[in-house]
Coordinates of all heavy atoms in Angstrom, one line a residue:
Chain A
W167 N 19.8 30.7 17.4 CA 20.6 31.1 18.7 C 20.6 29.9 19.6 O 19.6 29.5 20.2 CB 20.0 32.3 19.4 CG 20.9 33.0 20.3 CD1 21.8 32.3 21.2 CD2 21.2 34.4 20.5 NE1 22.5 33.2 21.9 CE2 22.2 34.5 21.5 CE3 20.6 35.5 19.8 CZ2 22.7 35.8 21.9 CZ3 21.1 36.8 20.3 CH2 22.1 36.9 21.3
G168 N 21.8 29.3 19.8 CA 22.0 28.2 20.6 C 21.1 27.0 20.1 O 20.8 26.0 20.9
S169 N 20.8 27.0 18.9 CA 20.1 25.9 18.3 C 20.8 25.4 17.1 O 21.5 26.1 16.4 CB 18.6 26.3 17.9 OG 18.7 27.4 17.0
D170 N 20.6 24.1 16.8 CA 21.4 23.4 15.8 C 20.4 22.5 15.0 O 20.5 21.2 15.2 CB 22.5 22.6 16.4 CG 23.3 21.8 15.4 OD1 23.2 22.0 14.1 OD2 24.0 20.8 15.8
P171 N 19.5 23.1 14.3 CA 18.5 22.2 13.6 C 19.0 21.1 12.7 O 18.4 20.0 12.7 CB 17.7 23.2 12.7 CG 18.5 24.5 12.7 CD 19.4 24.5 14.0
A172 N 20.2 21.3 12.2 CA 20.8 20.2 11.3 C 20.9 18.9 12.1 O 20.9 17.8 11.6 CB 22.1 20.6 10.8
S173 N 21.1 19.1 13.5 CA 21.2 17.9 14.3 C 19.9 17.5 15.0 O 19.6 16.4 15.3 CB 22.2 18.1 15.4 OG 23.5 18.4 14.8
S174 N 19.1 18.6 15.3 CA 17.9 18.3 16.1 C 16.6 18.3 15.4 O 15.7 17.6 15.7 CB 17.8 19.3 17.3 OG 17.8 20.6 16.8
H175 N 16.5 19.1 14.3 CA 15.2 19.2 13.6 C 15.7 19.2 12.0 O 15.7 20.3 11.4 CB 14.5 20.5 13.9 CG 14.1 20.6 15.3 ND1 14.9 20.9 16.3 CD2 12.8 20.4 15.9 CE1 14.3 20.9 17.5 NE2 13.0 20.7 17.2
P176 N 16.2 18.1 11.6 CA 16.9 18.1 10.3 C 16.3 18.8 9.1 O 16.9 19.3 8.3 CB 17.0 16.6 10.0 CG 17.0 16.0 11.4 CD 16.1 16.8 12.2
R177 N 14.9 18.8 9.0 CA 14.3 19.4 7.8 C 13.9 20.8 8.0 O 13.3 21.4 7.2 CB 13.1 18.5 7.4 CG 13.4 17.1 7.0 CD 12.2 16.4 6.4 NE 11.7 16.9 5.2 CZ 10.5 16.7 4.7 NH1 9.7 15.9 5.4 NH2 10.1 17.3 3.6
H178 N 14.3 21.3 9.2 CA 13.9 22.7 9.5 C 14.4 23.7 8.4 O 13.6 24.5 7.9 CB 14.6 23.1 10.8 CG 14.0 24.4 11.4 ND1 14.3 25.6 11.0 CD2 13.1 24.5 12.5 CE1 13.7 26.5 11.8 NE2 12.9 25.9 12.6
L179 N 15.6 23.7 8.0 CA 16.2 24.6 7.0 C 15.6 24.3 5.6 O 15.4 25.2 4.8 CB 17.7 24.5 6.9 CG 18.4 25.2 8.1 CD1 18.6 24.2 9.2 CD2 19.7 25.8 7.7
S180 N 15.3 23.1 5.3 CA 14.9 22.7 3.9 C 13.4 22.9 3.7 O 12.9 23.3 2.7 CB 15.3 21.3 3.5 OG 14.6 20.3 4.2
R181 N 12.6 22.7 4.8 CA 11.1 22.9 4.7 C 10.7 24.4 4.9 O 9.7 24.8 4.3 CB 10.4 22.0 5.7 CG 10.2 20.6 5.3 CD 9.3 19.9 6.2 NE 7.9 20.3 6.1 CZ 6.9 20.2 7.0 NH1 7.2 19.7 8.1 NH2 5.7 20.5 6.7
F182 N 11.4 25.0 5.8 CA 10.9 26.4 6.2 C 11.8 27.5 6.2 O 11.6 28.5 5.7 CB 10.2 26.3 7.6 CG 9.1 25.3 7.7 CD1 9.3 24.1 8.4 CD2 7.9 25.6 7.1 CE1 8.2 23.2 8.5 CE2 6.9 24.7 7.1 CZ 7.0 23.5 7.9
S183 N 13.0 27.3 7.0 CA 13.7 28.5 7.3 C 14.7 29.1 6.4 O 15.0 30.3 6.5 CB 14.3 28.2 8.7 OG 15.1 27.1 8.8
Y184 N 15.3 28.3 5.5 CA 16.5 28.8 4.8 C 16.3 28.6 3.3 O 16.4 29.5 2.5 CB 17.7 28.3 5.4 CG 19.0 29.0 5.0 CD1 19.0 30.4 4.6 CD2 20.2 28.4 4.9 CE1 20.2 31.0 4.2 CE2 21.4 29.0 4.6 CZ 21.3 30.3 4.2 OH 22.5 31.0 3.8
F185 N 16.2 27.3 2.9 CA 16.4 27.0 1.5 C 15.2 27.1 0.6 O 15.3 27.4 -0.6 CB 17.0 25.6 1.4 CG 18.3 25.5 2.0 CD1 18.5 24.7 3.1 CD2 19.4 26.3 1.5 CE1 19.8 24.6 3.7 CE2 20.7 26.2 2.1 CZ 20.9 25.4 3.2
P186 N 13.9 26.9 1.1 CA 12.8 26.9 0.2 C 12.5 28.3 -0.4 O 12.7 29.2 0.3 CB 11.7 26.3 1.0 CG 12.0 26.7 2.4 CD 13.5 26.7 2.5
R187 N 11.8 28.3 -1.5 CA 11.3 29.4 -2.1 C 9.9 29.7 -1.4 O 9.2 28.8 -1.1 CB 11.1 29.4 -3.6 CG 12.3 29.6 -4.4 CD 12.8 28.2 -5.0 NE 14.2 28.4 -5.4 CZ 15.2 27.7 -4.9 NH1 15.0 26.9 -3.9 NH2 16.4 27.9 -5.3
G188 N 9.6 31.0 -1.2 CA 8.3 31.3 -0.6 C 7.8 32.5 -1.3 O 8.4 33.1 -2.1
E189 N 6.6 32.9 -1.0 CA 5.9 34.0 -1.7 C 6.7 35.2 -1.9 O 6.9 35.7 -3.0 CB 4.6 34.4 -0.9 CG 3.4 33.7 -1.3 CD 2.2 33.8 -0.3 OE1 2.2 34.8 0.4 OE2 1.5 32.8 -0.2
K190 N 7.3 35.7 -0.8 CA 8.1 36.9 -0.9 C 9.6 36.6 -1.0 O 10.4 37.5 -1.0 CB 7.9 37.8 0.3 CG 6.5 38.5 0.3 CD 6.6 39.9 0.9 CE 5.3 40.6 0.6 NZ 5.1 41.6 1.7
R191 N 9.9 35.4 -1.0 CA 11.3 34.9 -1.1 C 11.5 34.0 -2.3 O 11.8 32.8 -2.1 CB 11.7 34.3 0.2 CG 11.5 35.1 1.4 CD 12.5 36.3 1.5 NE 11.9 37.3 2.5 CZ 11.8 38.6 2.2 NH1 12.3 39.2 1.1 NH2 11.2 39.4 3.1
Q192 N 11.2 34.5 -3.5 CA 11.2 33.6 -4.6 C 12.6 33.0 -5.0 O 12.7 32.0 -5.6 CB 10.7 34.4 -5.8 CG 9.2 34.7 -5.8 CD 8.4 33.5 -5.9 OE1 8.8 32.5 -6.4 NE2 7.2 33.5 -5.3
R193 N 13.6 33.7 -4.5 CA 15.0 33.2 -4.9 C 15.6 32.4 -3.8 O 16.7 31.9 -3.9 CB 15.9 34.3 -5.3 CG 15.2 35.3 -6.3 CD 16.2 36.3 -6.8 NE 17.1 35.7 -7.9 CZ 16.7 35.6 -9.1 NH1 15.5 36.1 -9.5 NH2 17.5 35.1 -10.0
G194 N 14.9 32.2 -2.7 CA 15.4 31.3 -1.7 C 16.6 31.8 -1.0 O 16.8 33.0 -0.9
W195 N 17.4 30.9 -0.6 CA 18.6 31.3 0.3 C 19.6 32.2 -0.3 O 20.2 33.0 0.3 CB 19.2 30.0 0.9 CG 19.7 29.1 -0.3 CD1 18.9 28.4 -1.2 CD2 21.0 28.8 -0.6 NE1 19.7 27.8 -2.0 CE2 21.0 27.9 -1.7 CE3 22.3 29.1 0.0 CZ2 22.2 27.4 -2.2 CZ3 23.4 28.6 -0.5 CH2 23.3 27.7 -1.6
E196 N 19.9 31.9 -1.6 CA 21.1 32.6 -2.2 C 21.0 34.1 -2.1 O 22.0 34.7 -1.7 CB 21.3 32.2 -3.7 CG 21.8 30.8 -3.8 CD 21.0 30.1 -4.9 OE1 19.8 30.0 -4.9 OE2 21.7 29.5 -5.8
E197 N 19.9 34.6 -2.5 CA 19.8 36.1 -2.5 C 18.8 36.7 -1.5 O 18.9 37.8 -1.0 CB 19.3 36.5 -3.9 CG 20.4 36.3 -4.9 CD 19.9 36.2 -6.3 OE1 19.1 37.1 -6.7 OE2 20.1 35.2 -7.0
N198 N 17.8 35.8 -1.2 CA 16.7 36.4 -0.3 C 16.7 36.2 1.2 O 15.9 36.8 1.9 CB 15.4 35.8 -0.8 CG 14.9 36.4 -2.2 OD1 14.0 35.9 -2.8 ND2 15.6 37.5 -2.6

Side-chain angles (χ1 to χ4, degrees):
Chain A
W167 197 317
S169 59
D170 176 21
S173 302
S174 57
H175 301 75
R177 294 185 66 199
H178 196 282
L179 286 89
S180 69
R181 277 189 75 203
F182 299 110
S183 53
Y184 193 27
F185 299 115
R187 279 109 196 116
E189 267 163 32
K190 291 218 169 154
R191 304 291 161 224
Q192 290 294 333
R193 309 189 81 84
W195 58 293
E196 288 136 306
E197 290 158 53
N198 285 167

